[in-house]
Amino acid sequence: MSTPDNPMPRGGLTRPPNLDVNLDVSGMVDPDGGLVDRRIFSDTQVYQQEMRRIFARSWLFIAHEDQFKKPGDFFQTYMGEDPVIAVLNKKREIRVLLNNCRHRGARVCRADMGSTKNFTCTYHGWSFDLDGNLANVPAQEAYGENFNPADWGLVSAPRVESYKGLIFANWDENAEPLEDTLGDMRWYIDAFMDRDPEGTCVVGGVTKWVLEGNWKLAAEQFATDWYHVNMSHASALMVMSPTGKGPKKEIAMRTGRQYSDEYGNGAGFPVHPRNRFDAQPVHEYYDYDFLRQRLSPEQVMGPLTNGHATVFPNFSYLPVNGSIRVWHPKGPNKMEVWSWTVLDKSMPEDVRHAQRLYNLRTFGPSGIFEQDDGENWSECQANAHAFMVGNTALNYQMGLGDLREEPGFPGQTSSLYSDAAGRAVYRRWRKLMATPAWHELRNADEDSKNPNSDCNGGCTHD
Protein backbone atom coordinates (compact mmCIF):
# COMPACT_ATOMS: atom_id res chain seq x y z
CA MET A 1 0.00 0.00 0.00
CA SER A 2 1.09 3.56 -0.57
CA THR A 3 2.82 4.80 2.55
CA PRO A 4 2.76 8.28 4.10
CA ASP A 5 6.39 8.64 2.99
CA ASN A 6 5.31 8.31 -0.64
CA PRO A 7 1.60 9.12 -0.85
CA MET A 8 1.69 9.97 -4.56
CA PRO A 9 4.15 7.44 -6.03
CA ARG A 10 5.47 8.38 -9.45
CA GLY A 11 8.04 5.63 -9.92
CA GLY A 12 10.09 6.33 -13.05
CA LEU A 13 7.74 9.02 -14.32
CA THR A 14 8.93 12.57 -14.79
CA ARG A 15 6.42 15.40 -14.98
CA PRO A 16 7.10 18.55 -17.06
CA PRO A 17 7.78 21.46 -14.70
CA ASN A 18 5.31 23.76 -16.47
CA LEU A 19 2.37 21.33 -16.32
CA ASP A 20 1.07 22.96 -13.15
CA VAL A 21 1.92 26.64 -13.38
CA ASN A 22 1.44 28.57 -10.15
CA LEU A 23 0.45 32.22 -10.27
CA ASP A 24 1.63 34.95 -7.92
CA VAL A 25 -1.75 35.87 -6.48
CA SER A 26 -0.42 37.67 -3.41
CA GLY A 27 -1.51 41.02 -4.84
CA MET A 28 -5.09 39.86 -5.44
CA VAL A 29 -6.09 40.21 -1.80
CA ASP A 30 -5.19 43.01 0.60
CA PRO A 31 -6.36 41.94 4.07
CA ASP A 32 -4.87 45.01 5.76
CA GLY A 33 -6.66 47.38 3.41
CA GLY A 34 -9.82 45.29 3.14
CA LEU A 35 -9.75 44.79 -0.64
CA VAL A 36 -10.28 41.63 -2.71
CA ASP A 37 -9.81 41.13 -6.46
CA ARG A 38 -13.06 39.83 -7.94
CA ARG A 39 -11.18 37.43 -10.24
CA ILE A 40 -10.27 35.08 -7.38
CA PHE A 41 -13.87 33.83 -7.55
CA SER A 42 -13.94 33.10 -11.28
CA ASP A 43 -10.46 32.44 -12.66
CA THR A 44 -9.81 28.81 -13.61
CA GLN A 45 -6.04 29.00 -12.98
CA VAL A 46 -6.63 30.44 -9.53
CA TYR A 47 -9.10 27.63 -8.80
CA GLN A 48 -6.68 24.92 -9.93
CA GLN A 49 -3.98 26.43 -7.75
CA GLU A 50 -6.40 26.29 -4.80
CA MET A 51 -6.70 22.55 -5.35
CA ARG A 52 -2.89 22.18 -5.26
CA ARG A 53 -1.97 24.59 -2.52
CA ILE A 54 -5.00 24.84 -0.24
CA PHE A 55 -7.05 21.66 -0.45
CA ALA A 56 -4.03 19.37 -0.89
CA ARG A 57 -2.57 20.42 2.46
CA SER A 58 -5.39 21.71 4.68
CA TRP A 59 -7.35 19.80 7.29
CA LEU A 60 -10.60 18.93 5.49
CA PHE A 61 -13.78 17.72 7.16
CA ILE A 62 -14.63 14.13 6.30
CA ALA A 63 -17.50 12.85 8.45
CA HIS A 64 -18.84 12.49 11.99
CA GLU A 65 -17.66 9.63 14.18
CA ASP A 66 -21.27 8.55 14.71
CA GLN A 67 -21.42 7.44 11.06
CA PHE A 68 -19.10 4.49 11.83
CA LYS A 69 -20.47 1.83 14.16
CA LYS A 70 -18.65 -1.38 13.16
CA PRO A 71 -15.63 -2.39 11.05
CA GLY A 72 -16.45 -2.09 7.36
CA ASP A 73 -18.75 0.92 7.75
CA PHE A 74 -17.79 3.47 5.11
CA PHE A 75 -18.75 6.90 3.82
CA GLN A 76 -17.79 8.34 0.46
CA THR A 77 -16.92 12.05 0.25
CA TYR A 78 -14.40 14.49 -1.26
CA MET A 79 -11.21 16.27 -0.28
CA GLY A 80 -11.32 19.19 -2.67
CA GLU A 81 -12.30 17.44 -5.89
CA ASP A 82 -10.55 14.19 -4.94
CA PRO A 83 -13.05 11.39 -4.18
CA VAL A 84 -12.22 9.56 -0.96
CA ILE A 85 -13.65 6.76 1.16
CA ALA A 86 -13.67 7.01 4.95
CA VAL A 87 -13.84 3.51 6.43
CA LEU A 88 -13.58 1.93 9.86
CA ASN A 89 -10.96 -0.83 9.66
CA LYS A 90 -10.72 -4.00 11.76
CA LYS A 91 -8.67 -2.14 14.38
CA ARG A 92 -11.55 0.36 14.64
CA GLU A 93 -9.41 3.10 13.12
CA ILE A 94 -10.77 5.52 10.55
CA ARG A 95 -8.85 5.28 7.29
CA VAL A 96 -9.34 7.78 4.46
CA LEU A 97 -8.57 6.22 1.08
CA LEU A 98 -8.40 7.81 -2.35
CA ASN A 99 -11.33 6.34 -4.28
CA ASN A 100 -9.22 5.61 -7.33
CA CYS A 101 -8.12 2.17 -8.53
CA ARG A 102 -4.39 2.02 -9.17
CA HIS A 103 -4.90 0.00 -12.36
CA ARG A 104 -6.91 2.30 -14.66
CA GLY A 105 -8.23 4.94 -12.29
CA ALA A 106 -11.89 3.97 -11.91
CA ARG A 107 -13.59 4.42 -8.53
CA VAL A 108 -13.53 1.31 -6.34
CA CYS A 109 -16.64 2.42 -4.42
CA ARG A 110 -19.78 3.91 -5.92
CA ALA A 111 -22.16 3.73 -2.94
CA ASP A 112 -22.58 6.87 -0.84
CA MET A 113 -22.32 4.92 2.41
CA GLY A 114 -22.76 1.41 3.76
CA SER A 115 -20.79 -1.52 5.10
CA THR A 116 -18.41 -3.85 3.26
CA LYS A 117 -15.51 -6.28 3.66
CA ASN A 118 -13.55 -4.90 0.71
CA PHE A 119 -13.68 -2.46 -2.20
CA THR A 120 -13.66 -3.98 -5.69
CA CYS A 121 -13.16 -2.10 -8.94
CA THR A 122 -15.88 -3.05 -11.42
CA TYR A 123 -13.56 -2.46 -14.39
CA HIS A 124 -11.00 -5.27 -14.01
CA GLY A 125 -11.76 -6.63 -10.56
CA TRP A 126 -8.83 -5.38 -8.50
CA SER A 127 -9.93 -5.70 -4.87
CA PHE A 128 -8.72 -3.77 -1.82
CA ASP A 129 -9.17 -4.42 1.91
CA LEU A 130 -10.35 -1.96 4.56
CA ASP A 131 -6.84 -0.52 4.91
CA GLY A 132 -6.49 -0.01 1.16
CA ASN A 133 -4.13 -2.95 0.61
CA LEU A 134 -4.42 -4.63 -2.78
CA ALA A 135 -5.90 -7.99 -1.76
CA ASN A 136 -6.78 -9.65 -5.05
CA VAL A 137 -5.79 -9.26 -8.71
CA PRO A 138 -7.52 -11.46 -11.30
CA ALA A 139 -4.97 -13.31 -13.47
CA GLN A 140 -2.14 -11.91 -11.36
CA GLU A 141 0.32 -14.38 -12.90
CA ALA A 142 0.14 -12.40 -16.15
CA TYR A 143 2.03 -9.55 -14.47
CA GLY A 144 5.14 -11.63 -13.90
CA GLU A 145 7.34 -12.21 -10.88
CA ASN A 146 8.26 -8.55 -10.36
CA PHE A 147 4.67 -7.50 -9.67
CA ASN A 148 4.29 -6.71 -5.96
CA PRO A 149 0.69 -6.10 -4.77
CA ALA A 150 2.07 -4.16 -1.80
CA ASP A 151 3.14 -1.41 -4.23
CA TRP A 152 -0.34 -0.89 -5.69
CA GLY A 153 -2.69 -0.29 -2.79
CA LEU A 154 -5.07 2.64 -2.59
CA VAL A 155 -3.41 5.94 -1.74
CA SER A 156 -4.31 6.81 1.85
CA ALA A 157 -4.39 10.13 3.68
CA PRO A 158 -1.40 9.99 6.06
CA ARG A 159 -3.13 12.16 8.68
CA VAL A 160 -6.61 11.53 10.07
CA GLU A 161 -7.59 13.25 13.32
CA SER A 162 -10.82 14.18 15.05
CA TYR A 163 -12.09 16.82 17.43
CA LYS A 164 -15.29 16.38 19.45
CA GLY A 165 -16.58 13.77 17.00
CA LEU A 166 -15.65 15.73 13.85
CA ILE A 167 -13.24 13.79 11.62
CA PHE A 168 -10.72 15.65 9.47
CA ALA A 169 -8.02 14.39 7.11
CA ASN A 170 -4.92 15.91 5.52
CA TRP A 171 -2.71 14.80 2.61
CA ASP A 172 0.30 16.51 4.19
CA GLU A 173 2.09 14.09 6.49
CA ASN A 174 3.93 16.95 8.18
CA ALA A 175 0.92 19.20 8.69
CA GLU A 176 0.44 20.84 12.07
CA PRO A 177 -1.87 18.81 14.33
CA LEU A 178 -5.56 19.48 13.82
CA GLU A 179 -6.03 20.95 17.29
CA ASP A 180 -3.16 23.37 16.71
CA THR A 181 -4.78 24.74 13.55
CA LEU A 182 -8.10 25.04 15.37
CA GLY A 183 -6.41 26.98 18.18
CA ASP A 184 -8.83 29.16 20.14
CA MET A 185 -11.56 28.16 17.68
CA ARG A 186 -11.94 25.03 19.83
CA TRP A 187 -13.62 27.10 22.55
CA TYR A 188 -16.25 28.26 20.07
CA ILE A 189 -16.72 24.75 18.64
CA ASP A 190 -17.11 23.36 22.17
CA ALA A 191 -20.13 25.60 22.72
CA PHE A 192 -21.82 23.59 19.95
CA MET A 193 -20.21 20.14 20.12
CA ASP A 194 -19.55 19.70 23.85
CA ARG A 195 -22.88 20.56 25.47
CA ASP A 196 -23.64 16.91 26.31
CA PRO A 197 -21.29 14.70 28.38
CA GLU A 198 -22.31 11.81 26.11
CA GLY A 199 -21.24 13.65 22.96
CA THR A 200 -23.14 14.17 19.71
CA CYS A 201 -24.79 12.06 17.04
CA VAL A 202 -25.97 12.44 13.45
CA VAL A 203 -29.65 12.17 12.56
CA GLY A 204 -31.31 12.04 9.16
CA GLY A 205 -28.31 11.22 7.00
CA VAL A 206 -26.62 13.70 4.65
CA THR A 207 -28.53 16.20 2.52
CA LYS A 208 -26.84 17.35 -0.70
CA TRP A 209 -27.55 20.04 -3.24
CA VAL A 210 -25.71 22.03 -5.93
CA LEU A 211 -25.36 25.81 -6.07
CA GLU A 212 -23.98 28.18 -8.68
CA GLY A 213 -21.23 30.09 -6.94
CA ASN A 214 -17.62 29.87 -5.84
CA TRP A 215 -16.98 27.87 -2.66
CA LYS A 216 -15.28 30.86 -0.98
CA LEU A 217 -18.49 32.91 -1.09
CA ALA A 218 -20.19 30.44 1.25
CA ALA A 219 -17.16 29.80 3.45
CA GLU A 220 -16.49 33.49 4.07
CA GLN A 221 -20.14 34.29 4.80
CA PHE A 222 -20.36 31.64 7.48
CA ALA A 223 -17.09 32.92 8.96
CA THR A 224 -17.84 36.62 9.01
CA ASP A 225 -21.22 37.83 7.79
CA TRP A 226 -24.01 38.64 10.22
CA TYR A 227 -24.37 41.92 8.32
CA HIS A 228 -26.60 40.37 5.63
CA VAL A 229 -29.15 38.86 8.01
CA ASN A 230 -31.68 41.68 8.37
CA MET A 231 -31.61 42.51 4.66
CA SER A 232 -31.30 39.15 2.91
CA HIS A 233 -33.50 37.26 5.35
CA ALA A 234 -36.11 39.96 5.98
CA SER A 235 -39.03 37.89 4.66
CA ALA A 236 -37.86 34.78 6.51
CA LEU A 237 -37.56 36.73 9.75
CA MET A 238 -41.12 38.02 9.27
CA VAL A 239 -42.42 34.47 8.80
CA MET A 240 -40.53 33.25 11.86
CA SER A 241 -41.66 36.08 14.17
CA PRO A 242 -44.81 35.67 16.32
CA THR A 243 -46.37 38.88 14.95
CA GLY A 244 -45.48 38.27 11.32
CA LYS A 245 -43.85 41.71 11.22
CA GLY A 246 -40.32 40.60 11.93
CA PRO A 247 -38.26 40.69 15.13
CA LYS A 248 -38.27 43.66 17.47
CA LYS A 249 -35.55 46.24 16.81
CA GLU A 250 -33.62 45.32 19.96
CA ILE A 251 -33.47 41.73 18.73
CA ALA A 252 -32.79 42.50 15.06
CA MET A 253 -30.00 44.92 15.92
CA ARG A 254 -28.50 43.03 18.85
CA THR A 255 -24.79 43.27 19.41
CA GLY A 256 -22.27 40.47 19.61
CA ARG A 257 -18.75 39.34 18.86
CA GLN A 258 -16.85 37.95 15.89
CA TYR A 259 -13.82 35.70 16.32
CA SER A 260 -11.01 35.29 13.78
CA ASP A 261 -7.51 33.83 13.78
CA GLU A 262 -4.36 33.38 11.70
CA TYR A 263 -5.54 30.02 10.36
CA GLY A 264 -8.56 31.57 8.63
CA ASN A 265 -11.13 30.27 11.11
CA GLY A 266 -14.00 32.54 12.05
CA ALA A 267 -17.21 32.69 14.08
CA GLY A 268 -19.82 35.34 14.76
CA PHE A 269 -22.62 35.35 17.33
CA PRO A 270 -24.95 37.67 19.26
CA VAL A 271 -24.04 38.08 22.94
CA HIS A 272 -26.90 38.37 25.39
CA PRO A 273 -27.64 36.78 28.78
CA ARG A 274 -31.02 35.62 27.48
CA ASN A 275 -29.85 33.95 24.27
CA ARG A 276 -31.97 30.88 23.55
CA PHE A 277 -32.56 28.19 20.95
CA ASP A 278 -35.20 29.11 18.38
CA ALA A 279 -37.12 25.81 18.32
CA GLN A 280 -39.33 25.88 21.43
CA PRO A 281 -38.96 22.16 22.33
CA VAL A 282 -35.17 22.52 22.10
CA HIS A 283 -35.20 25.67 24.24
CA GLU A 284 -37.32 23.95 26.89
CA TYR A 285 -35.06 20.88 26.87
CA TYR A 286 -31.81 22.64 27.74
CA ASP A 287 -30.75 23.39 31.30
CA TYR A 288 -28.90 26.66 30.79
CA ASP A 289 -27.62 26.72 34.39
CA PHE A 290 -26.02 23.29 33.85
CA LEU A 291 -24.44 24.52 30.61
CA ARG A 292 -22.98 27.57 32.36
CA GLN A 293 -21.20 25.18 34.70
CA ARG A 294 -20.17 22.61 32.07
CA LEU A 295 -18.97 25.23 29.59
CA SER A 296 -18.84 28.86 30.74
CA PRO A 297 -21.25 31.77 31.18
CA GLU A 298 -19.65 33.48 28.17
CA GLN A 299 -20.28 30.47 25.92
CA VAL A 300 -23.92 30.30 27.01
CA MET A 301 -24.59 33.99 26.36
CA GLY A 302 -22.58 33.84 23.11
CA PRO A 303 -21.81 31.00 20.70
CA LEU A 304 -23.91 28.28 22.41
CA THR A 305 -27.16 29.06 20.64
CA ASN A 306 -27.07 31.36 17.65
CA GLY A 307 -24.42 32.48 15.19
CA HIS A 308 -22.29 31.13 12.36
CA ALA A 309 -18.79 29.69 11.94
CA THR A 310 -16.27 28.34 9.42
CA VAL A 311 -13.21 26.18 9.94
CA PHE A 312 -10.88 27.05 7.07
CA PRO A 313 -11.17 26.24 4.26
CA ASN A 314 -14.68 24.81 3.71
CA PHE A 315 -16.33 23.40 6.85
CA SER A 316 -19.10 25.48 8.46
CA TYR A 317 -21.76 25.11 11.13
CA LEU A 318 -24.81 26.77 12.69
CA PRO A 319 -25.35 25.98 16.40
CA VAL A 320 -28.98 27.16 16.52
CA ASN A 321 -30.25 24.26 14.43
CA GLY A 322 -27.44 21.72 14.73
CA SER A 323 -26.36 22.14 11.10
CA ILE A 324 -22.86 21.28 9.91
CA ARG A 325 -21.94 21.50 6.25
CA VAL A 326 -19.12 21.27 3.72
CA TRP A 327 -18.83 23.47 0.63
CA HIS A 328 -17.34 21.00 -1.86
CA PRO A 329 -15.71 22.91 -4.76
CA LYS A 330 -16.88 21.83 -8.21
CA GLY A 331 -14.98 24.28 -10.39
CA PRO A 332 -14.68 28.04 -9.92
CA ASN A 333 -18.40 28.62 -10.54
CA LYS A 334 -20.11 25.77 -8.70
CA MET A 335 -20.20 24.14 -5.29
CA GLU A 336 -21.95 21.13 -3.84
CA VAL A 337 -23.34 21.57 -0.33
CA TRP A 338 -23.37 18.55 2.00
CA SER A 339 -25.29 19.10 5.23
CA TRP A 340 -25.68 17.03 8.41
CA THR A 341 -27.90 17.54 11.46
CA VAL A 342 -25.79 16.98 14.59
CA LEU A 343 -27.55 16.72 17.96
CA ASP A 344 -26.69 15.87 21.54
CA LYS A 345 -26.86 12.14 22.22
CA SER A 346 -28.98 12.64 25.35
CA MET A 347 -31.76 14.43 23.48
CA PRO A 348 -35.08 12.56 23.65
CA GLU A 349 -36.68 11.59 20.35
CA ASP A 350 -39.28 14.36 20.32
CA VAL A 351 -36.61 17.06 20.82
CA ARG A 352 -34.42 15.50 18.10
CA HIS A 353 -37.39 15.53 15.75
CA ALA A 354 -38.15 19.18 16.50
CA GLN A 355 -34.54 20.26 15.93
CA ARG A 356 -34.19 18.30 12.69
CA LEU A 357 -37.43 19.79 11.33
CA TYR A 358 -36.27 23.26 12.32
CA ASN A 359 -33.01 22.65 10.47
CA LEU A 360 -34.82 21.52 7.32
CA ARG A 361 -37.24 24.46 7.42
CA THR A 362 -34.52 27.05 7.83
CA PHE A 363 -31.26 25.74 6.34
CA GLY A 364 -32.21 22.62 4.40
CA PRO A 365 -31.99 22.75 0.57
CA SER A 366 -35.44 24.38 0.43
CA GLY A 367 -35.09 26.19 3.76
CA ILE A 368 -36.35 29.73 3.93
CA PHE A 369 -32.93 31.09 4.97
CA GLU A 370 -30.88 28.76 2.77
CA GLN A 371 -32.76 29.89 -0.34
CA ASP A 372 -31.81 33.49 0.34
CA ASP A 373 -28.13 32.63 0.75
CA GLY A 374 -27.99 30.48 -2.39
CA GLU A 375 -29.58 33.25 -4.44
CA ASN A 376 -27.05 35.79 -3.15
CA TRP A 377 -24.07 33.57 -4.02
CA SER A 378 -25.37 32.74 -7.48
CA GLU A 379 -26.06 36.44 -8.10
CA CYS A 380 -22.50 37.31 -7.09
CA GLN A 381 -21.17 34.63 -9.44
CA ALA A 382 -23.46 35.33 -12.39
CA ASN A 383 -21.44 38.22 -13.81
CA ALA A 384 -18.06 37.52 -12.22
CA HIS A 385 -16.49 36.75 -15.61
CA ALA A 386 -17.39 40.13 -17.12
CA PHE A 387 -14.42 42.37 -17.92
CA MET A 388 -15.27 45.55 -16.00
CA VAL A 389 -16.85 43.60 -13.16
CA GLY A 390 -13.77 41.42 -12.90
CA ASN A 391 -11.56 44.50 -12.69
CA THR A 392 -13.53 46.18 -9.91
CA ALA A 393 -12.22 45.60 -6.36
CA LEU A 394 -14.53 44.32 -3.62
CA ASN A 395 -14.84 46.06 -0.25
CA TYR A 396 -14.07 44.07 2.93
CA GLN A 397 -13.40 47.10 5.13
CA MET A 398 -16.15 46.82 7.73
CA GLY A 399 -14.60 46.84 11.20
CA LEU A 400 -11.03 47.65 10.14
CA GLY A 401 -8.97 48.33 13.25
CA ASP A 402 -11.62 46.84 15.55
CA LEU A 403 -9.73 43.70 16.62
CA ARG A 404 -9.18 43.36 20.34
CA GLU A 405 -8.95 40.88 23.17
CA GLU A 406 -11.98 40.70 25.42
CA PRO A 407 -12.13 38.87 28.78
CA GLY A 408 -14.08 35.62 28.56
CA PHE A 409 -13.79 35.28 24.78
CA PRO A 410 -10.55 33.59 23.67
CA GLY A 411 -8.44 34.98 20.84
CA GLN A 412 -9.01 38.16 18.88
CA THR A 413 -12.56 39.37 18.45
CA SER A 414 -14.32 42.30 16.85
CA SER A 415 -17.86 43.61 16.71
CA LEU A 416 -20.56 41.33 15.32
CA TYR A 417 -20.97 43.56 12.28
CA SER A 418 -17.49 43.22 10.81
CA ASP A 419 -15.47 41.77 7.95
CA ALA A 420 -12.64 40.81 10.30
CA ALA A 421 -13.06 37.05 9.90
CA GLY A 422 -13.48 37.49 6.15
CA ARG A 423 -10.17 39.31 6.00
CA ALA A 424 -8.64 36.49 8.05
CA VAL A 425 -9.97 33.94 5.52
CA TYR A 426 -8.23 35.74 2.67
CA ARG A 427 -5.05 36.36 4.65
CA ARG A 428 -4.77 32.60 5.15
CA TRP A 429 -5.76 32.01 1.52
CA ARG A 430 -3.02 34.36 0.31
CA LYS A 431 -0.37 32.74 2.50
CA LEU A 432 -1.11 29.19 1.30
CA MET A 433 -1.50 30.22 -2.34
CA ALA A 434 1.96 31.85 -2.23
CA THR A 435 3.75 28.94 -0.54
CA PRO A 436 4.83 25.71 -2.31
CA ALA A 437 3.03 22.71 -0.84
CA TRP A 438 4.53 19.42 0.36
CA HIS A 439 4.03 17.66 -2.99
CA GLU A 440 5.74 20.46 -4.91
CA LEU A 441 8.77 20.36 -2.65
CA ARG A 442 8.96 16.58 -2.88
CA ASN A 443 8.57 16.53 -6.66
CA ALA A 444 11.25 19.19 -7.06
CA ASP A 445 13.58 17.11 -4.87
CA GLU A 446 12.86 13.97 -6.92
CA ASP A 447 13.46 15.82 -10.19
CA SER A 448 16.75 17.23 -8.95
CA LYS A 449 17.96 13.66 -8.33
CA ASN A 450 16.67 12.30 -11.64
CA PRO A 451 19.34 12.51 -14.40
CA ASN A 452 16.61 12.25 -17.05
CA SER A 453 14.73 15.27 -15.77
CA ASP A 454 14.74 18.49 -17.78
CA CYS A 455 14.98 20.39 -14.49
CA ASN A 456 18.66 19.57 -13.90
CA GLY A 457 18.18 20.37 -10.24
CA GLY A 458 16.80 23.83 -10.79
CA CYS A 459 13.03 23.36 -11.06
CA THR A 460 10.72 24.47 -8.27
CA HIS A 461 7.43 23.89 -10.16
CA ASP A 462 6.43 27.44 -9.40
Side-chain angles (χ1 to χ4, degrees):
M1 187 179 70
S2 303
T3 67
D5 293 331
N6 190 19
M8 294 173 60
R10 291 170 59 192
L13 301 179
T14 301
R15 181 171 295 167
N18 61 346
L19 189 62
D20 294 326
V21 178
N22 289 309
L23 305 173
D24 180 3
V25 299
S26 58
M28 298 184 76
V29 295
D30 177 11
D32 296 329
L35 299 175
V36 170
D37 190 322
R38 181 70 173 272
R39 287 286 296 276
I40 72 168
F41 300 103
S42 62
D43 187 86
T44 300
Q45 286 182 276
V46 170
Y47 173 81
Q48 292 171 344
Q49 190 164 322
E50 290 174 342
M51 297 301 104
R52 297 190 296 270
R53 287 192 165 177
I54 293 179
F55 286 89
R57 63 171 169 193
S58 294
W59 285 103
L60 304 177
F61 178 74
I62 299 296
H64 190 285
E65 289 178 355
D66 188 52
Q67 295 177 255
F68 308 92
K69 301 292 198 305
K70 61 184 184 301
D73 286 355
F74 69 87
F75 175 70
Q76 185 183 174
T77 184
Y78 292 89
M79 294 176 68
E81 287 203 33
D82 285 309
V84 296
I85 312 161
V87 59
L88 189 67
N89 68 9
K90 293 181 179 179
K91 297 180 180 179
R92 303 194 69 83
E93 302 166 330
I94 296 292
R95 301 301 303 273
V96 177
L97 310 172
L98 191 64
N99 192 2
N100 183 69
C101 182
R102 296 293 304 285
H103 182 233
R104 289 295 187 273
R107 289 184 298 164
V108 299
C109 178
R110 299 187 186 182
D112 290 341
M113 62 185 71
S115 187
T116 188
K117 294 182 178 180
N118 53 55
F119 300 102
T120 301
C121 179
T122 57
Y123 195 177
H124 296 93
W126 283 29
S127 183
F128 305 84
D129 67 18
L130 301 181
D131 288 300
N133 300 302
L134 180 57
N136 183 64
V137 177
Q140 181 175 327
E141 62 276 6
Y143 284 91
E145 296 180 356
N146 292 328
F147 179 79
N148 184 359
D151 295 334
W152 297 100
L154 299 178
V155 174
S156 62
R159 300 285 296 278
V160 180
E161 298 178 16
S162 64
Y163 184 75
K164 299 297 169 69
L166 304 173
I167 302 169
F168 292 77
N170 198 316
W171 294 117
D172 184 357
E173 181 189 15
N174 296 313
E176 294 181 68
L178 172 63
E179 291 200 18
D180 288 355
T181 62
L182 292 176
D184 288 325
M185 183 72 178
R186 290 175 294 171
W187 186 88
Y188 299 90
I189 294 174
D190 289 350
F192 171 34
M193 298 296 295
D194 197 27
R195 300 187 292 236
D196 188 343
E198 295 186 22
T200 56
C201 60
V202 173
V203 297
V206 184
T207 307
K208 307 174 184 179
W209 63 97
V210 175
L211 292 175
E212 300 296 325
N214 187 274
W215 67 273
K216 295 188 292 298
L217 293 170
E220 70 157 55
Q221 176 177 303
F222 272 63
T224 200
D225 194 349
W226 189 271
Y227 183 43
H228 78 287
V229 173
N230 291 326
M231 182 65 185
S232 292
H233 301 311
S235 58
L237 292 171
M238 291 175 64
V239 171
M240 299 290 289
S241 69
T243 64
K245 298 179 181 180
K248 297 179 181 178
K249 183 177 181 180
E250 59 267 26
I251 296 178
M253 300 304 295
R254 65 171 53 185
T255 59
R257 308 303 303 152
Q258 185 179 120
Y259 164 83
S260 59
D261 63 33
E262 63 178 316
Y263 290 99
N265 307 313
F269 45 88
V271 175
H272 194 279
R274 298 181 63 183
N275 274 352
R276 52 164 289 172
F277 288 89
D278 289 351
Q280 188 65 24
V282 179
H283 167 63
E284 294 173 352
Y285 164 75
Y286 275 113
D287 182 343
Y288 293 94
D289 289 333
F290 166 77
L291 292 173
R292 289 185 184 94
Q293 296 177 4
R294 175 171 177 78
L295 298 170
S296 71
E298 288 81 9
Q299 284 166 304
V300 173
M301 69 179 184
L304 175 80
T305 54
N306 215 330
H308 49 80
T310 290
V311 173
F312 185 89
N314 65 329
F315 171 72
S316 300
Y317 64 85
L318 298 166
V320 71
N321 55 8
S323 175
I324 66 173
R325 65 258 310 281
V326 175
W327 319 102
H328 286 304
K330 299 296 178 183
N333 305 303
K334 184 179 294 185
M335 66 181 116
E336 193 166 299
V337 188
W338 289 23
S339 176
W340 293 251
T341 301
V342 174
L343 305 176
D344 294 350
K345 280 187 177 180
S346 298
M347 272 187 174
E349 189 58 37
D350 60 325
V351 180
R352 289 188 181 192
H353 182 69
Q355 185 70 322
R356 182 172 178 242
L357 284 183
Y358 182 75
N359 186 11
L360 291 173
R361 289 169 182 157
T362 55
F363 283 94
S366 59
I368 57 176
F369 290 90
E370 191 73 45
Q371 291 292 300
D372 296 332
D373 289 336
E375 182 180 15
N376 285 335
W377 300 328
S378 62
E379 177 65 20
C380 290
Q381 197 70 27
N383 56 7
H385 290 84
F387 174 73
M388 288 302 297
V389 167
N391 282 279
T392 302
L394 299 178
N395 183 303
Y396 285 74
Q397 297 177 339
M398 178 177 279
L400 270 175
D402 185 40
L403 285 177
R404 57 189 180 274
E405 294 185 1
E406 184 171 342
F409 295 93
Q412 287 194 319
T413 65
S414 61
S415 299
L416 179 61
Y417 295 95
S418 173
D419 290 327
R423 291 190 292 271
V425 166
Y426 292 113
R427 182 175 284 107
R428 179 66 171 173
W429 181 91
R430 182 178 67 174
K431 179 178 180 179
L432 295 182
M433 290 286 279
T435 309
W438 59 271
H439 52 89
E440 297 174 89
L441 299 174
R442 191 208 63 197
N443 289 343
D445 183 62
E446 287 183 0
D447 289 336
S448 68
K449 298 176 182 178
N450 187 341
N452 296 319
S453 172
D454 292 334
C455 291
N456 295 321
C459 292
T460 62
H461 291 243
D462 283 337

